[in-house]
Amino acid sequence: MGHDISPIGNHTLNTENIELLANDITSRIDINIEYGYFGQKEHFKLLGENREDELIILGKVIKDETFKTFRLLDESYMLKRLYKKFRKQFLKLKKYPLSFVDDFRDIME
């Protein structure tokens, strides 16, 4: 069973990137965190990588081996990578689904 966390108010967590966020969370509570993103084959292909749909773990923050480990995923990680590579040219790719382009516009603003 998964647990989704939604922001409901102000906080002081460091959300500059997923690694800093994982470190900040583990510094506050007694848990371990593995962090990463879920990539799709089509996105990897645009980035010149030969991968299937898969979970990519970027790193782990182990506070104590006896603590429970949770997973932190950045849902916009692939969008950020694609934007970094293509910039606004990405929006002009005709072979890409419109819904993904709409999501992409959201992170550009």
Side-chain angles (χ1 to χ4, degrees):
M1 175 187 296
H3 299 282
D4 293 334
I5 299 172
S6 300
I8 58 171
N10 291 335
H11 62 77
T12 59
L13 290 169
N14 186 342
T15 59
E16 187 175 330
N17 65 48
I18 194 167
E19 180 181 9
L20 293 174
L21 178 58
N23 281 302
D24 196 357
I25 292 170
T26 57
S27 73
R28 296 168 188 242
I29 55 178
D30 291 336
I31 63 171
N32 301 316
I33 294 181
E34 64 178 17
Y35 55 92
Y37 66 98
F38 186 77
Q40 295 177 344
K41 183 177 182 176
E42 295 83 11
H43 304 168
F44 288 126
K45 188 174 180 182
L46 287 171
L47 292 167
E49 299 176 20
N50 187 19
R51 294 182 182 210
E52 297 296 319
D53 293 353
E54 61 185 303
L55 174 65
I56 307 296
I57 299 299
L58 298 170
K60 296 179 182 183
V61 180
I62 306 298
K63 188 171 186 177
D64 187 304
E65 293 290 336
T66 63
F67 295 158
K68 188 168 184 174
T69 299
F70 291 86
R71 184 174 291 156
L72 177 64
L73 299 176
D74 184 343
E75 293 180 3
S76 299
Y77 193 85
M78 286 299 284
L79 294 172
K80 294 171 195 172
R81 287 188 64 200
L82 288 164
Y83 181 70
K84 187 176 181 179
K85 180 174 182 178
F86 295 106
R87 298 293 176 182
K88 293 185 180 182
Q89 292 300 317
F90 177 72
L91 299 175
K92 297 178 183 177
L93 294 175
K94 294 180 181 179
K95 62 183 177 181
Y96 226 72
L98 183 59
S99 63
F100 184 77
V101 171
D102 289 341
D103 291 342
F104 193 68
R105 286 188 183 112
D106 290 343
I107 68 161
M108 289 176 36
E109 297 173 354

